[in-house]
Amino acid sequence: MGPTSGAVLHFADLPGNSSPEPEALLGWINGFSILTSVLPGVDLLGKLPVVMTRALMVLTEFCRLEPSEPRILTTTATELRLWLPMDDGPGAVFAAQFLCRWFNGAWGGGRPSLQDVKVCRALHGRRWNQTHAHLARAASALGVPYFRVERVGQQFLQLGHGARRRLLHETLTDRTTLFAKQFHGKESLHQVLAGHGLPLPRQRIARTWDQALEAAGSLGWPVVLKPASGGKGKGVWVGLAERGALERAWTVNAADGSAQVVQEVLPGHDHRLLICDGEVMAVARRHPAEVCGDGSRSLDDLIREVNSDSRRGVAYERLMNRIPLDERLQAELARQGMTLKSVPAAGRRVQLSRTANLSQGGGAIDVTDLLHPDNRLLAQDVASLLGADVLGLDVMAMDVGRSWTEGGLRVLEANLSPGLRPHLVADPESDLCRRLVLRWTGGPEMARIPTALVTGSIGKTTTTRMLAHVLRGTGRRVAVGSTSGAQLDNLVFKQEDSAHGGTIRQFLQDPRVEVVVGEVSRGGLLKGGLRLREADVGAMLNILDAHLGEDGVSTREDLLQIKSLVARAATQALVLNVDDPLLRGVYDRQASCEHCLVGSMPPHGLLRDHLASGGLGALWRDGPDGVVVLCRGDTTLCEIPAAEIQGAWGGMCRATVIAAAFVAVMSERMGVAPDLIRERILGFDASLNPGRAERIDTPGQSIVLSWAGTPEALRSLAVLMESLRTELHSRTRILLRLGFSAADHWMCSMAAEACRLFDVVDIARGESCADRVEEEAVAMILEAGFGADPGVDLRYVGEVHAAIPTFLKDAAPGDPVLVHALDVHTAKARILEWLHTESLDRSEVLGA
């Protein structure tokens, strides 16, 4: 989707900050043939971080698509942190591992180990498939989203989102029929085509040497020998004119006992026709590898010069392959009375292969415009007979501009997953990939599913869940990710923090998903990026002091910069909180996407001006007489009584009322009718928002489970807890969970606010103390709490989930209690366990 990966490089402690000598670095990698062709061109002189960054970019060349510069984030004596322009996270990891092994090995003067070789191979295995790479670049240019997908050890390319995705392996698509896949072998393919009057070569299947020799005698010498299955020109021997040549080829090909095809030799040129959805998209004439003599250099030198061309590589890493120095090359030279040491005369062209496959070092030219209509119809007929949506048809013909009905053309093979390399080599400026992407996806609008992103300091989870609820009312399947987990419709499949780009990416790769709603947190953005280039609608709820002092974020302005990734991704609408001074600064009436405003009553002047100019916005007021009003200019689209929203505590839950205002605007921009918006928001009850002001009522006691990440959010919860106070002597209680990995000022401000708001405060920590000394952290927090209210009932109770039973047991009947927990699923399970145990205990007492 977008090049965003991080790499951390660990290396030996060195005197100074210098890189190993270039000779040592090049010497260490001399045995890695897949690297020696590219690394010598890299500048290995300079300071260590700079040299390592340069080398890393070369190592990852095959793992990324778009040119972009890396960024050095931090560097120490033994560590270098980088941001890499990578499309492939695992590739970045392998590259970082190999780079550290390489530099440490060069410093130490040793030789590469077997593990070094394995890491290098793993890195090389992450390279982009060339067909996928060109299709992805075409998709990017068109604005069609794409993903690189790994499944069961194979690489796939996804075009489009969710339910609108298309999945490709090379050009084998997710719509290729099972019927078509039966004909992947040359024998079965020949059989199905033979009875339909198509021009086919004479051939025989041989499973033993005697059968091969008999077939050659029956067909007439010379013959072709090739595997009965497989492709890419592997194992194809052409022009075997006598028994000895056939036997040598048989020995190489059939060593594993596989069946072989013996075929007559046909005159003409090898052509590849690409058919997609019944239309011939391109035709390439392939030619065998060759070199031109200069009268002074040997064939070996000439071939090595050709192979040094940067456009050539090995194992399909480039569009063109290097010419293989194998038995078939030597056999072809021997047929011409030459060896690799021979020096051809100046101007003499020496053919190096009898096959024209690019995988064997060959080339191609485009002849699409020359194709005769009869031959075009023939190709379409073959695709129809095989039931193939995409087909690569190999034919041998003297001239494709001449009708096959006049002779001179034979169908050799049909490939269900044809690579595009012949056509891209034949015409580098071709728009073939663009036409294929458009045919498969219908273009960017058809390829995308509706997406909405929500960010801010507080209120994100409630807003995200409510928006998903509204959108489900349109009859579509909605996936939602939040800090509390991930779910598709009512199916919860993850109960952990999912407010990050990884969850969004997972949803966009799921063919069941028709709409995505994603909460995006600060931590998620910093650690994994957004992983989404464009979203239809984005919302920025507020920018508060949560998480200041963490991960290099020291001010609200820093937070705004991070969360503005959501603003930059929004293409149709960005919804902003006009009551937040920082977000008022983001508002731009001339922005490319529509900026919409949400604010409290009476409205801020900017909101009044926005509506006066015809803008879209929502006004809110909480309380029993509260209301949410959705407006476009001076037209009211709908009014939603706050007290009638089922999960809003009779209008008292400000967070839910504000969420309703944002959701009303976002839903309208996503095409939902105002009447349906009103209906769905009113029906948003507590069961749809677990762990957010969730009330668990029991006889004689009110328990509330919720998370609050800022003092402002705590104040809103305190208002709700006061509404539950039934008697003057009852005491409001809070079990306050503080993460000890957080910044000091956040923990102290939360503790101080809790002590000002509640009568009884039990401080609890998360599952671990992080890197803190527990006693020191506790002392600091208790000091802040007593500083805010010296008379408060305050204590430290250890780990939050373990403390829940005692906390609930200590509460007197009528005391409103608030369990403040980040992992609300585990906390709720503990609360229900305690309630069940108490119920059993009471039953035993009554029974006695």
Side-chain angles (χ1 to χ4, degrees):
M1 274 296 297
T4 56
S5 290
V8 181
L9 310 180
H10 298 279
F11 41 88
D13 196 2
L14 298 172
N17 190 28
S18 60
S19 174
E21 291 298 321
E23 294 77 10
L25 289 170
L26 293 175
W28 193 86
I29 63 155
N30 191 48
F32 296 95
S33 60
I34 58 178
L35 299 179
T36 50
S37 64
V38 293
L39 282 169
V42 112
D43 183 1
L44 297 174
L45 288 172
K47 294 294 185 181
L48 177 65
V50 176
V51 174
M52 293 189 83
T53 303
R54 289 182 195 142
L56 190 61
M57 291 303 289
V58 175
L59 288 174
T60 58
E61 176 187 355
F62 306 136
C63 305
R64 52 193 163 85
L65 290 182
E66 300 175 357
S68 185
E69 293 299 316
R71 292 201 302 269
I72 297 176
L73 301 179
T74 60
T75 181
T76 68
T78 59
E79 183 179 277
L80 174 63
R81 288 181 176 269
L82 297 171
W83 177 89
L84 295 177
M86 293 280 289
D87 300 276
D88 176 29
V93 173
F94 287 128
Q97 290 178 355
F98 182 78
L99 184 67
C100 294
R101 288 177 171 275
W102 174 21
F103 274 60
N104 285 329
W107 278 315
R111 304 302 303 164
S113 67
L114 180 60
Q115 187 60 32
D116 295 327
V117 174
K118 289 181 178 178
V119 174
C120 182
R121 287 176 178 169
L123 168 62
H124 199 247
R126 302 300 308 179
R127 66 192 184 280
W128 267 89
N129 172 289
Q130 283 295 311
T131 293
H132 293 169
H134 281 80
L135 288 170
R137 290 190 184 102
S140 180
L142 286 165
V144 171
Y146 68 87
F147 297 97
R148 171 177 169 155
V149 180
E150 308 292 332
R151 299 277 176 83
V152 292
Q154 296 190 71
Q155 183 186 138
F156 294 84
L157 177 67
Q158 178 180 321
L159 300 175
H161 288 160
R164 298 182 180 178
R165 75 168 197 181
R166 295 298 307 275
L167 201 60
L168 311 171
H169 179 57
E170 290 259 339
T171 49
L172 184 70
T173 80
D174 49 11
R175 297 181 188 172
T176 301
T177 65
L178 182 61
F179 174 78
K181 293 177 183 179
Q182 297 180 69
F183 308 118
H184 64 279
K186 297 178 176 67
E187 180 180 9
S188 57
L189 175 68
H190 194 273
Q191 289 175 354
V192 75
L193 296 180
H196 295 279
L198 302 178
L200 303 172
R202 295 181 300 124
Q203 67 179 46
R204 301 284 188 276
I205 295 294
R207 290 178 171 80
T208 66
W209 160 244
D210 290 338
Q211 290 176 355
L213 186 60
E214 180 183 352
S218 173
L219 295 171
W221 302 91
V223 295
V224 176
L225 182 74
K226 56 186 177 181
S229 61
K232 311 293 185 185
K234 296 178 180 178
V236 180
W237 300 76
V238 180
L240 304 173
E242 41 84 26
R243 174 182 178 135
L246 178 62
E247 186 171 11
R248 286 191 294 273
W250 179 269
T251 301
V252 174
N253 277 20
D256 59 357
S258 59
Q260 303 291 309
V261 174
V262 182
Q263 178 191 293
E264 66 173 324
V265 173
L266 300 170
H269 303 288
D270 191 337
H271 294 79
R272 163 62 64 82
L273 286 70
L274 180 68
I275 304 98
C276 180
D277 293 335
E279 179 183 343
V280 177
M281 307 288 285
V283 184
R285 185 171 73 204
R286 298 181 288 198
H287 57 77
E290 63 178 15
V291 293
C292 184
D294 61 5
S296 62
R297 288 182 293 173
S298 68
L299 284 170
D300 186 54
D301 291 336
L302 293 170
I303 293 171
R304 293 184 186 279
E305 181 183 47
V306 171
N307 283 344
S308 67
D309 186 338
S310 61
R311 295 172 299 174
R312 293 182 180 268
V314 296
Y316 313 107
E317 67 190 15
R318 308 276 185 170
L319 277 181
M320 301 174 69
N321 271 23
R322 295 175 191 161
I323 300 168
L325 301 174
D326 57 12
E327 298 95 332
R328 284 189 290 173
L329 170 65
Q330 296 176 19
E332 176 58 23
L333 293 179
R335 186 183 68 83
Q336 301 175 54
M338 307 177 77
T339 69
L340 286 172
K341 295 181 180 179
S342 299
V343 179
R348 178 182 174 184
R349 308 195 78 82
V350 180
Q351 184 173 317
L352 303 175
S353 174
R354 297 297 298 277
T355 64
N357 297 81
L358 267 69
S359 58
Q360 300 302 308
I365 60 173
D366 184 74
V367 293
T368 305
D369 294 339
L370 302 180
L371 187 65
H372 191 281
D374 289 347
N375 299 340
R376 184 180 301 274
L377 182 59
L378 171 68
Q380 294 167 345
D381 284 347
V382 173
S384 177
L385 284 168
L386 298 179
D389 57 335
V390 179
L391 192 71
L393 191 66
D394 292 340
V395 304
M396 186 69 73
M398 294 298 296
D399 179 8
V400 292
R402 177 184 174 191
S403 172
W404 71 270
T405 61
E406 300 176 20
L409 181 148
R410 295 288 185 274
V411 175
L412 299 179
E413 296 179 14
N415 301 280
L416 294 176
S417 180
L420 300 180
R421 295 201 308 166
H423 308 289
L424 299 175
V425 169
D427 183 5
E429 303 301 320
S430 169
D431 68 344
L432 173 63
C433 290
R434 179 181 181 277
R435 289 184 285 126
L436 286 171
V437 171
L438 287 173
R439 181 174 288 273
W440 284 324
T441 66
E445 296 303 319
M446 295 294 294
R448 298 178 184 277
I449 60 174
T451 51
L453 303 177
V454 178
T455 193
S457 296
I458 58 174
K460 300 185 297 296
T461 299
T462 298
T463 304
T464 300
R465 289 168 170 172
M466 187 185 293
L467 178 59
H469 174 66
V470 171
L471 294 171
R472 287 191 196 105
T474 64
R476 292 173 290 183
R477 305 198 67 183
V478 181
V480 56
S482 69
T483 51
S484 295
Q487 67 184 82
L488 174 60
D489 298 332
N490 295 320
L491 173 64
V492 178
F493 54 87
K494 188 187 295 183
Q495 289 189 343
E496 59 190 53
D497 187 359
S498 300
H500 51 77
T503 301
I504 296 170
R505 183 184 179 97
Q506 180 182 358
F507 289 154
L508 294 175
Q509 292 179 0
D510 190 329
R512 302 171 297 174
V513 176
E514 296 175 292
V515 184
V516 171
V517 179
E519 175 185 341
V520 186
S521 68
R522 169 211 57 90
L525 288 171
L526 284 175
K527 295 170 185 175
L530 189 56
R531 310 290 288 275
L532 179 69
R533 293 182 178 180
E534 295 182 351
D536 295 299
V537 178
M540 301 181 73
L541 309 185
N542 39 58
I543 304 293
L544 302 174
D545 289 343
H547 304 293
L548 295 187
E550 301 175 29
D551 299 315
V553 179
S554 57
T555 67
R556 289 191 179 188
E557 287 74 16
D558 292 341
L559 274 177
L560 175 62
Q561 183 178 5
I562 295 167
K563 293 178 182 292
S564 290
L565 285 172
V566 169
R568 291 195 288 271
T571 60
Q572 293 184 20
L574 176 64
V575 188
L576 300 166
N577 183 357
V578 74
D579 296 328
D580 188 304
L582 283 178
L583 295 181
R584 287 200 295 271
V586 175
Y587 176 76
D588 181 0
R589 196 169 295 167
Q590 305 302 319
S592 57
C593 79
E594 181 181 10
H595 281 196
C596 309
L597 295 178
V598 168
S600 58
M601 297 180 184
H604 187 277
L606 181 60
L607 179 52
R608 284 198 302 269
D609 293 343
H610 172 74
L611 294 175
S613 64
L616 179 68
L619 298 88
W620 63 268
R621 181 177 65 245
D622 59 348
D625 61 344
V627 67
V628 172
V629 182
L630 176 65
C631 306
R632 165 72 74 178
D634 58 2
T635 302
T636 298
L637 302 179
C638 70
E639 291 189 7
I640 306 169
E644 295 180 25
I645 301 173
Q646 294 185 31
W649 288 57
M652 297 295 294
C653 185
R654 173 171 291 186
T656 303
V657 176
I658 295 175
F662 273 94
V663 168
V665 177
M666 296 178 76
S667 301
E668 197 280 340
R669 290 301 286 119
M670 297 183 78
V672 185
D675 287 347
L676 183 59
I677 293 173
R678 183 181 190 277
E679 174 189 334
R680 297 293 288 184
I681 289 178
L682 289 175
F684 184 73
D685 60 31
S687 68
L688 299 169
N689 199 25
R692 295 299 183 270
E694 181 180 6
R695 187 168 171 175
I696 306 172
D697 285 335
T698 62
Q701 194 169 49
S702 292
I703 302 172
V704 176
L705 170 63
S706 191
W707 168 251
T710 66
E712 292 88 343
L714 270 183
R715 287 196 288 273
S716 295
L717 286 173
V719 171
L720 301 181
M721 301 309 294
E722 284 295 332
S723 72
L724 297 176
R725 194 193 294 265
T726 58
E727 300 179 16
L728 289 176
H729 67 272
S730 61
R731 309 171 78 195
T732 57
R733 298 171 174 265
I734 182 173
L735 175 62
L736 182 68
R737 185 265 192 202
L738 298 177
F740 280 15
S741 61
D744 291 354
H745 77 89
W746 178 82
M747 290 192 293
C748 291
S749 64
M750 290 290 286
E753 193 67 23
C755 290
R756 283 190 285 265
L757 296 170
F758 292 85
D759 300 315
V760 179
V761 179
D762 283 3
I763 301 292
R765 60 169 172 81
E767 293 182 355
S768 71
C769 295
D771 296 326
R772 292 181 180 272
V773 176
E774 185 172 10
E775 291 77 9
E776 294 177 359
V778 170
M780 176 187 68
I781 294 168
L782 294 180
E783 181 181 359
F786 285 122
D789 183 355
V792 70
D793 188 345
L794 172 66
R795 62 179 177 172
Y796 174 68
V797 294
E799 196 273 329
V800 61
H801 299 128
I804 287 175
T806 301
F807 171 71
L808 296 176
K809 187 175 183 179
D810 289 347
D815 284 355
V817 298
L818 171 62
V819 176
H820 174 266
L822 182 60
D823 181 358
V824 294
H825 303 291
T826 302
K828 185 171 183 178
R830 295 288 185 273
I831 293 171
L832 295 178
E833 287 174 7
W834 180 81
L835 291 174
H836 180 67
T837 302
E838 285 294 296
S839 175
L840 292 178
D841 290 346
R842 283 196 296 271
S843 297
E844 290 178 1
V845 170
L846 292 173

